[in-house]
Amino acid sequence: MKFIKYSKYVSDPAGEMSMEDLLNALSNYLLQSGFQDSWYFYEFNEGEQTLEQLRQAIQQALESGEMLDENMREQLEQMRADGQLDELIEKLIDRMQQENYITVDQPFDRSQQSKLPGQTGEMQQGQVKFEVTDKGLDFLGYRALRDLLGSLGKSNFGRHDTRDMATGIESSGASRQYEFGDTLNLDITATLSNAIQRDGLKVPLDLEYSDLQVHQCEYQSSCATVLMLDCSHSMILYGEDRFTPAKKVAMALSQLIRTQYPG
């Protein structure tokens, strides 16, 4: 005889947590420019990001609690008390890899730790590098664009997304007679009207070449756009990192150009 055993549902915070919210919370870390303040002088780091640094950034994001609801905060507190916070962070990193937000260049292999003299497994694991994928950069660019333009509020009516709601209409230009080479976007009403005016209302209705009317729209030309960032010393002059905000604006502009004005 077959038995069915029911058990209490155990939630998995790593599986329930939104990757988009996590990436948004990590955006400042992922987009940092590598300028480190050291005794009032800025030193440039090569920009290499390690998994250990990513773990610390995720832990700070979780501890801030800004991306979590009340129920998730309670689960996080319980996991911290049970010593399961590190396991949660590892699962989140695995999800970021599985969903193609990051790639790990040199996966840590415990079987190789004895082959490198003078280094422990923890040291090797801390040196593993990762990179943000194109999918992750697209998302960060989208969020940067939304944050920049979403704060405009209700200005003059335009095409930029805001946090406000409004009604709107879609208008198009007047139709004209079809010419060879035109996109065959027929104005059905005007085409049938021409045929009826020419030959009267009857069935079947004979259409001729001169009856065809096509919709007109604004001509859109192609354009190549180049975004350039100033990498001179003035970007970190007087101990202020101006390069990271500039990089965020550049990513937002890149997202705007590629999505709203392709070609």
Side-chain angles (χ1 to χ4, degrees), residues 5-257:
K5 183 178 180 181
Y6 294 94
S7 60
K8 182 180 179 181
Y9 170 74
V10 179
S11 62
D12 181 15
E16 297 175 358
M17 196 172 299
S18 170
M19 282 289 99
E20 288 77 10
D21 291 341
L22 179 60
L23 279 179
N24 190 42
L26 296 175
S27 60
N28 289 334
Y29 162 70
L30 295 175
L31 295 178
Q32 66 181 354
S33 302
F35 293 100
Q36 306 296 333
D37 189 3
S38 176
W39 298 98
Y40 302 102
F41 292 96
Y42 266 72
E43 299 177 353
F44 182 71
N45 194 340
E46 291 295 333
E48 296 180 341
Q49 296 172 316
T50 65
L51 283 184
E52 184 60 33
Q53 294 172 348
L54 179 60
R55 292 187 186 93
Q56 295 175 4
I58 293 177
Q59 182 175 352
Q60 293 176 2
L62 294 176
E63 291 176 349
S64 67
E66 297 179 358
M67 53 174 284
L68 307 175
D69 55 22
E70 188 64 29
N71 184 31
M72 193 69 72
R73 291 193 189 98
E74 294 178 358
Q75 295 184 42
L76 183 63
E77 290 295 333
Q78 184 63 38
M79 296 185 71
R80 183 185 291 110
D82 297 340
Q84 299 177 347
L85 187 59
D86 292 340
E87 181 181 354
L88 172 62
I89 294 175
E90 293 298 330
K91 289 182 178 180
L92 290 175
I93 294 178
D94 289 340
R95 274 196 63 194
M96 293 176 69
Q97 288 184 255
Q98 293 172 4
E99 298 186 19
N100 197 29
Y101 286 111
I102 63 171
T103 57
V104 178
D105 293 337
Q106 301 173 358
F108 176 64
D109 187 359
R110 295 185 181 275
S111 63
Q112 302 294 328
Q113 67 181 34
S114 60
K115 296 183 180 180
L116 296 177
Q119 291 188 354
T120 63
E122 289 76 9
M123 292 176 61
Q124 297 177 41
Q125 189 177 14
Q127 295 173 357
V128 175
K129 307 297 189 300
F130 77 93
E131 292 182 356
V132 183
T133 62
D134 292 340
K135 177 182 177 181
L137 290 176
D138 284 342
F139 175 79
L140 293 174
Y142 162 74
R143 280 300 178 98
L145 177 63
R146 193 187 69 171
D147 292 341
L148 288 174
L149 298 182
S151 60
L152 292 177
K154 288 187 176 181
S155 182
N156 294 332
F157 186 77
R159 294 183 59 190
H160 298 302
D161 295 333
T162 68
R163 301 183 180 93
D164 301 303
M165 302 295 293
T167 58
I169 59 173
E170 181 180 356
S171 60
S172 59
S175 61
R176 64 170 176 81
Q177 188 174 7
Y178 172 79
E179 297 178 358
F180 178 77
D182 289 340
T183 301
L184 200 59
N185 185 16
L186 284 179
D187 184 347
I188 302 299
T189 302
T191 299
L192 295 179
S193 297
N194 289 341
I196 293 173
Q197 291 176 3
R198 175 181 51 79
D199 202 20
L201 182 59
K202 63 178 182 178
V203 178
L205 189 62
D206 295 328
L207 292 179
E208 294 186 358
Y209 184 86
S210 59
D211 297 330
L212 300 180
Q213 294 282 122
V214 291
H215 290 289
Q216 294 188 98
C217 61
E218 294 182 357
Y219 180 80
Q220 295 180 334
S221 178
S222 63
C223 177
T225 305
V226 179
L227 298 177
M228 303 180 65
L229 290 180
D230 183 6
C231 296
S232 65
H233 184 263
S234 62
M235 298 296 286
I236 55 172
L237 198 61
Y238 306 121
E240 182 179 355
D241 178 17
R242 302 176 181 88
F243 191 79
T244 299
K247 184 164 63 173
K248 291 182 179 180
V249 174
M251 290 186 63
L253 287 175
S254 175
Q255 179 75 9
L256 177 66
I257 293 170

